[in-house]
Every structure is written in structure tokens, then in C-alpha cells.
Amino acid sequence: MTISSNHSLIEHNRGVWDSQARADCEWSRPVDAAAIRQARGGDLSACRLTPSALPAGWLDPLRGKEVLCLAAGGGQQAPLLAAAGARVTVLDVSDEQLARDRQIAAREGLALRLEQGDMSDLSRFADGSFDCVFHPISNLYVPDVKPVWRECARVLRPGGSLLASFYNPVLFVADRDPAYAEQGLIKPRFAIPYSDLRDLPAEERAAKLARGEALVFGHSLADLIGGQTAAGLLIRDYLEECQPRPRFLIDRYLPTFIATWAVKAG
């Protein structure tokens, strides 16, 4: 299989996420009824951008607000936000991820608007449609994050919030050969910005595709954070968090989760 266009990239990653959802991966495991009850009572501690609960103040009272859960299917954040009283739209590339939201909405009597599509193209939504965009880690699956931020800024109302999370780009620098990890070595191999399509040798990329893995992109902090301000958003707060279950050697040495709270001026 070869990836020759943005469309084929989207279709490949969509298929990967459909498969992961069917396999009950961590990000496709819907919240339980207890978390929904807590959210109905105003407790959104189960709603996550990073492994820990959101900092106080990042989510305004949501009752009656329009919220877009962007690339955030899987039956997790969207049902909680809807249970707290928001009018929630979910846009995700994966039909199976959206099916998890549909399942929880039916189980809990929640109203969710479900849309299948690419996070970089929100043209189906009018300017100023949402009070909040909730965007957990997912923009590593698009080759250019700047259009995502521009679209988020466009669909937000003045004063609206973008809550987003992403990986520290340092994760994309090291050679992933397990032999280095066994020796306790972190060997830089790739520069940032990183692209599986551009930087991974053809035979390694072919092997990755054959294993059914998503293709990923390591964006620079200039694009991940500066891209938000360039789109007209103001960074209100910022957090870093360590990986509670380190997957890579670098996870043991610095926070590899980053989250931002940005606001559209108005």
C-alpha cells in the first residue's frame, strides 16, 4: 500500500482507528454510568485532555453552550460534556469511534450530533458556531496542524475557548529501535517537524503500513502553540504532564503531554 495523497492518508488512518475501536483500545473505551451521573451533577473530573483531570477554571459552566468535540470520538469526552448540559457535536474521522458515542448517547438518553470528517476541514460549520472546541490529542495524524487551528478559530464565537492537547515533539526525535531502549540510550534520529511520509525510510514505512499502524506527524512547538496565536487565539493557560505509564525512554525524563487553553478575542 502507498499513500499518494491527503485523501489516501485520511482513509488509511480512518481504517486504523476503526480497527482500534473494534479492538477496544484505551481511547475507544466509553465512560461508565457513574461518570455520567457525576457529570450531570456538575463534576467533570472524568473529562480529560491529558491523563489527569482538567485544571480548575478551564471549563466554564456548560449548560446550554455549543461544544465541538474535535477528533474526539470514542464515547468519552462528548457524553460527559452533554451530560453536563452542553449541546455537543462530535467530529471524528472514524465511524467506529463515533459509534461509541452513539452507544453511550442511547444508553444514557443524551443528545449528540455526530459528524464524520477530517479535523482540518470544518467547512460544514458556520463561522462562530461554538462556544468551546474540545480537542484531545489527535493532531499528530494530520501533516499540517495550522489549518486545524485556523478552522477552530473560525468556528468559535468571540470569547469562546479552545482546549487542546498534543504530544511534546521530543517524542518524535529518537530512534525507536528497542535495542537502544534496552541499553538506556536515547539516540536522536529525526528532526522536527517530523513526517512518517517524508522522514521514515520507504521500507520502514511499508512495514508500518503492513502492521496496520497509523501514520503520524511530529509538529513543532511553533506550529502547535504559535499556530494558535497566528490563528487569532490568545493562550490563557498551559500545562505539561508526565506520561503515567511510560511507553518510551524519554517519557521517564520530562513531561510529554502538553495542553493549552486558548480564547478567541472578542
Side-chain angles (χ1 to χ4, degrees), residues 6 15 27 33 37 39 48 51 66-67 109 131 149 153 168 178 216 246:
N6 190 56
W27 303 111
R37 286 195 300 272
R48 305 294 172 89
E66 297 285 347
V67 176
D131 300 290
W149 302 142
N168 188 319
V216 298

Side-chain angles (χ1 to χ4, degrees), residues 62-100:
L62 291 173
R63 190 159 300 280
K65 298 292 182 68
E66 297 285 347
V67 176
L68 173 62
C69 284
L70 181 60
Q76 298 180 351
Q77 289 80 24
L80 293 171
L81 296 170
R87 293 192 290 267
V88 178
T89 299
V90 189
L91 185 139
D92 198 283
V93 74
S94 166
D95 294 307
E96 289 291 337
Q97 285 285 85
L98 292 170
R100 303 305 181 271

Side-chain angles (χ1 to χ4, degrees), residues 3-259:
I3 303 295
S4 58
S5 67
N6 190 56
H7 174 74
S8 57
L9 168 67
I10 292 168
E11 288 304 303
H12 170 75
N13 282 350
R14 176 184 179 182
V16 171
W17 272 101
D18 283 347
S19 296
Q20 291 194 23
R22 286 190 291 266
D24 191 38
C25 80
E26 180 181 2
W27 303 111
S28 304
R29 205 163 295 140
V31 295
D32 60 21
I36 296 292
R37 286 195 300 272
Q38 288 177 335
R40 285 190 164 118
D43 178 358
L44 282 169
S45 58
C47 194
R48 305 294 172 89
L49 282 173
T50 62
S52 295
L54 286 168
W58 277 41
L59 271 178
D60 292 327
L62 291 173
R63 190 159 300 280
K65 298 292 182 68
E66 297 285 347
V67 176
L68 173 62
C69 284
L70 181 60
Q76 298 180 351
Q77 289 80 24
L80 293 171
L81 296 170
R87 293 192 290 267
V88 178
T89 299
V90 189
L91 185 139
D92 198 283
V93 74
S94 166
D95 294 307
E96 289 291 337
Q97 285 285 85
L98 292 170
R100 303 305 181 271
D101 289 294
R102 187 177 296 109
Q103 170 193 340
I104 302 307
R107 188 191 77 194
E108 301 291 343
L110 299 169
L112 293 176
R113 177 185 176 186
L114 304 179
E115 299 274 351
Q116 191 276 327
D118 171 20
M119 71 182 87
S120 301
D121 178 8
L122 306 182
S123 57
R124 70 190 74 189
F125 305 123
D127 294 0
S129 295
F130 299 99
D131 300 290
C132 178
V133 176
F134 198 91
H135 180 48
I137 291 173
S138 56
N139 58 44
L140 71 159
Y141 300 112
V142 294
D144 186 358
V145 72
K146 295 187 293 296
V148 178
W149 302 142
R150 290 196 294 267
E151 283 289 82
C152 287
R154 182 185 65 79
V155 301
L156 277 172
R157 293 168 179 154
S161 293
L162 166 63
L163 304 184
S165 58
F166 34 87
Y167 289 120
N168 188 319
V170 72
L171 276 180
F172 298 89
V173 170
D175 195 310
R176 295 288 174 85
D177 187 333
Y180 292 118
E182 290 169 7
Q183 299 174 66
L185 298 177
I186 299 169
K187 181 185 178 183
R189 182 183 180 191
F190 302 109
I192 297 299
Y194 168 79
S195 165
D196 267 352
L197 293 177
R198 182 191 63 237
D199 301 317
L200 201 62
E203 64 276 11
E204 293 182 41
R205 185 168 59 251
K208 188 171 189 177
L209 292 170
R211 292 192 300 268
E213 297 179 14
L215 296 178
V216 298
F217 305 86
H219 307 296
S220 68
L221 288 175
D223 286 346
L224 289 167
I225 298 176
Q228 295 185 54
T229 61
L233 301 168
L234 306 175
I235 304 297
R236 179 90 177 258
D237 204 356
Y238 169 96
L239 69 85
E240 294 180 317
E241 186 173 340
C242 291
Q243 169 63 257
R245 298 182 301 278
R247 298 170 301 158
F248 309 116
L249 194 55
I250 193 66
D251 283 320
R252 303 177 189 175
Y253 295 97
L254 81 169
T256 47
F257 289 104
I258 296 174

